[in-house]
Amino acid sequence: MGEVDLKTVQKKVTAGASHRKLLAAAESGQPICVASAGIPNEVMHAMGVYPIYPESLAAISAGIGKAGPFFDESRTRGLSNAICSYTRSGLGICWTSQTAFGPIPRPTIAVTDVNMCCLHATWWAYLEDHFTLPTFYMDMPVTDDPGAPEYIDYYESQVRDMVAFVERHTACRLDMDRLREALADSDRAGHYWKKMMELRRHRPSPMSFRALAGQVLPLVIALGERDTADFYEALYHQCLEDVKEGKTPAQGGEKYRLIWNGIPIWHHLQLINYFEEKGASFVWEPYTSLNWGNKTSTGRLDLDRPFHTLAEKYTNVYTNKPIATRFEYFDQAIRDYAVDGVVMFSNRSCRPQSIGQQELVQLIQERHGLPVLIFEGDQADPEGFSWDDARMRVDGFIEILEGRTRRGGQA
Amino acid sequence: MIARFRELFEQRHDRARALKRQGRKIIASFYGLTPKELVHAAGMVPVQLVEDRDSRYEAKGELLPYLCGMSKNLTGQIASGVLDYVDGVMVATVCDTNRHLLDIWVHQRAFPNHWLVRTPAKDDEGAVTYFTNELKRLAAELGAVSGHPVTDDGLRESIALFNENRSLFRRFYAARPTAGISAEDAVYVFAATLTSPVEEHNALMRELLASLPPGAPRSDPKLMLSALNMPMALETIRMAEKYGATVVTDDFPHNARYGSTEVPTDGDPFRALARGYLRKVPAPGSFPLEDRAVWIREAMERASAQGLIYVIQLYCDAYAFEYATLKERFDRWKLPHLKIEAEATPSSIEQLNVRVQSFVESLL
C-alpha cells in the first residue's frame, strides 16, 4: 500500500468510529451479530455481518469510567459480583442496549467461541435464551494440546458451520474472493502487529503499553477491514521512526525493562504511566504478543487454505497450554527483550489468565532470579482497588530494581 | 442400612487404600462429567474427588484467594497426602477453575497420571465423532496404565453396570419423598456412589430399595436443595430442618448424572458413551438453560417440594451464573426460592441461619 497518514487512519479505527460504523451498518440493513472475542471475524466481515463485542465494550467502558450503570444492572438481575466483570458489564450493555458511546441496535444473531473461557458458552446461552437470538457456538473443547491436527480440523468444521449458520439466519452469503481479501487484510494487520512487537526489543523500547492497550482494539473487533490493516502498517512505520529517534515512554530514559502478565487494569490504566514516570517501560506482554495477531506457525495466514488457516490461528490459545509451555514463552521473552522484572496481574475475573501465575513466578525466579510484583484486582471492576496502595507497591518494586542496578550494573 | 452407605463414604480413603493393597488401581475424577465407565472397563476403580469437611485443607492448597473453596480444599488434600492412593486423575470441565487446576496439578506432579477430557460443548454428529475419538484416546491411555486394554465388550459391561446404578438411583429418588429416610441420610446414599466400586454400590442400593421403610407424615414446608458442595449441603439441610422444614429431594450435579438418561447399549460402545455424555447432564454450565430450569421444577413437583434452596459456593462461576438464568424463570413461575452464597467455612454457613429461617417461615 502507499503511504498512509497515521492520524488519518487512526480516526477510522477508534472505539467511537466503530460505534458510528455499527449504527451505519444497522441503518443500511446489515445484520448485527453479538460476538465474543476470539471468533473468526474475518469471516463476518467477508459476509457483510457487523459484529459487536460486549467484552471490548466492557473494557472500554471501564477504561473511560462509564461501566458503573452496567454493573448496577447486573446486580439487579441477580448476578453475583464474583462473576467475571466483562460478563457482568457486557450483559449490562445488552440489557440496557446502551454503550459508553450511545445506544446499540437490536442484534440479529449471536456467535461465540468456547475457547477463551468456559463462561463464554454460558454467557451466550443466556443471550440466546433471554433475547431469543439465533446463536452459534464455535465449539472448541478444552484442551492442553491446542496444536493437535484433529483439534484444528474440528475447529475448521466449526468455521464452515458458522458460515452455514449465518447464511441460514441472514441474507448474507459467503463469497470466497471476499473472504480471501479479508484474510489478506487481516494477515497484513497481524504481520505488522508482530513486527511492532519485535521492535520493542530495542533499547530503549519505543512503545508504551498504555498506548498499545488501546491500539490492540482493531485486532479484536475489526480484522478483515482494510482500515485496520492500513492502521497497523502506518503504526509500525511510526514505531520504526521512534526507534530510530530513540524515543521511550519511560521518563528520564529507560532504566528498567519489564513484562506485564495479564489483561490491562482498564479502570486504572494510569498505573502503567506511573511505572513510566519511574523510568520503567513494559516491553513484552503475553496479552499483546500472544493473544492477538497471526497466531499461526509461520506467522502469516495461508490465503490458499482460508478455513484451515483461521482454524490454526484461533485454536492457538495461550492459556490452553500447559504451565511448562507458558514458561517457555516467558523464558524466551526475558532473554530476547532483556527484561529486568515481571509484573503479574492476579485478576479475580479471569481464572484462565490467573491460575498458574504463582507457578510461573516460581519458575521465573528459579531460572532468572528476577523480581516479581503481583497485583491483585479486577480487569474492569474498580471495586476494592486502591490507587494509593498500588503506587506504594510500585514504589517498593522500583526500589528493588534500583538496588539490583546499584549492586550489579543491571537491574 | 444407611450406616453402611455412610461408612462407604466417610471411610473412602481407607477403603481405597485397601483396594490398592489388593492390586487395584484407583483413578480419581474431577468432576462428575468424567466417563467413569472407561476407567472401570480398563479394570480400575473410579472415585470422585470430594471436598472434605476439614476447612484447614483450604489454606494448605495455597491457591489464589478468589478461587472456590472446593478447588482449595482438594488441592489441600493433595498437599496433605490424603490422596496418596490415587494413580491418576481425570478432569472433565464445567468451569475454568476446575479445568486450570489441572495445570497446577500437572506442574506439581500431584498424581502419577493426569488426563483432561476434551469434551465438546455440542452434541451434533461432528461433536459425537470428535468425542468418540477422544474416548478412544483416553481408553488407550487408561489401558496402558492398568495393563488391561479396554475392549468393546468390556466397555459394554461397564456401561451396563453404571446404567444399573442410574436406574437404581431413579427408583430411589422416586421413592424418597414418601419413604422413611432423612434428607441427610439420602445425601450419604448418593455420596457413597461417588467413592465406591459400582458393583458394591449397586448391591447396596438393591438391598436398600427392597427394605425402604415407609415414612411418617412429613412436616411442612417441603424443600428441594440444589448444591455442589456436600458439607455445605449437609449444613443447609440441618439448618432448614431446625426451623421445621423437610428437604424431600436434592440436586447435586453429579447425582443428576446418575439420575438422568442412561447410556445407550447398542452399537459401538464408544460412540454410545459419547452420545450418553454430551449435553445430557442437567448440571450448571453444561445443560440447555430452559431444560435445566424445567428439570428442577419437575423434580420439585415429583417430590411435592414447595420451595428451593439454591446454594452457591463463593467464587463458583457455574452456579453463580446459572442462578441468574434460573431466577428469571423462577420469578415468572412464582417458584419460591432462596439463593445463598457462602464460603464452605462454619462461620460463613452460620451466618445464613436467619435467611434460611425466614425463608422457611415464608412458606408456612
Side-chain angles (χ1 to χ4, degrees), chain B residues 130-145:
Chain B
Y130 181 88
F131 198 43
T132 301
N133 292 332
E134 169 64 2
L135 293 174
K136 287 179 178 172
R137 175 188 76 88
L138 290 168
E141 294 186 14
L142 288 164
V145 168

Side-chain angles (χ1 to χ4, degrees), chain B residues 266-329:
Chain B
D266 55 339
D268 173 7
F270 287 95
R271 200 165 181 88
L273 197 58
R275 283 190 200 285
Y277 271 79
L278 293 180
R279 289 177 74 79
K280 294 291 190 296
V281 184
S286 61
F287 202 68
L289 305 180
E290 170 74 11
D291 295 358
R292 168 79 173 139
V294 169
W295 186 87
I296 288 176
R297 186 183 65 185
E298 289 179 351
M300 290 177 70
E301 286 167 358
R302 282 195 299 274
S304 302
Q306 296 143 270
L308 169 75
I309 298 182
Y310 188 89
V311 181
I312 302 172
Q313 184 164 22
L314 195 62
Y315 300 121
C316 176
D317 279 350
Y319 268 75
F321 201 138
E322 185 190 62
Y323 174 71
T325 69
L326 294 174
K327 182 178 181 298
E328 287 187 358
R329 287 184 170 80

Side-chain angles (χ1 to χ4, degrees), chain A residues 126 129-130 137 143 326 346, chain B residues 66 99 103 122 328-329:
Chain A
Y126 181 85
D129 180 69
H130 184 86
Y137 299 83
T143 186
R326 282 181 243 168
S346 180
Chain B
Y66 46 81
R99 181 259 171 273
D103 293 342
K122 295 181 175 176
E328 287 187 358
R329 287 184 170 80

Side-chain angles (χ1 to χ4, degrees), chain A residues 77-80 82-83 87 91 95 114 117-119 122-123 125-126 129-130 136-137 139 141-145 150-151 154 158 319-320 323 326 346-348 351-352 354-356 358-359 362-363 376, chain B residues 62-67 93-97 99-104 107-108 116-122 124 126-127 130 285 289-290 314-317 320-325 327-329 339 341:
Chain A
R77 303 270 184 164
L79 279 185
S80 159
I83 294 174
T87 306
L91 276 171
W95 279 317
V114 294
C117 71
C118 293
L119 267 177
T122 324
W123 178 354
Y126 181 85
D129 180 69
H130 184 86
F136 184 78
Y137 299 83
D139 197 4
V142 294
T143 186
D144 44 9
D145 185 15
E150 69 276 11
Y151 193 71
Y154 182 59
Q158 297 298 299
T319 50
N320 280 345
I323 289 171
R326 282 181 243 168
S346 180
N347 178 356
R348 66 173 184 262
R351 304 334 189 232
S354 299
I355 298 176
Q358 294 170 114
E359 289 68 25
Q362 186 188 359
L363 290 167
E376 192 185 309
Chain B
E62 295 183 348
L63 292 182
L64 298 166
Y66 46 81
L67 300 185
T93 186
V94 292
C95 72
D96 291 313
T97 300
R99 181 259 171 273
H100 287 288
L101 206 54
L102 181 66
D103 293 342
I104 293 179
H107 175 73
Q108 294 174 338
L116 182 64
V117 183
R118 300 165 188 168
T119 314
K122 295 181 175 176
D124 58 23
Y130 181 88
L289 305 180
E290 170 74 11
L314 195 62
Y315 300 121
C316 176
D317 279 350
F321 201 138
E322 185 190 62
Y323 174 71
T325 69
K327 182 178 181 298
E328 287 187 358
R329 287 184 170 80
K339 174 195 85 164
E341 188 168 4

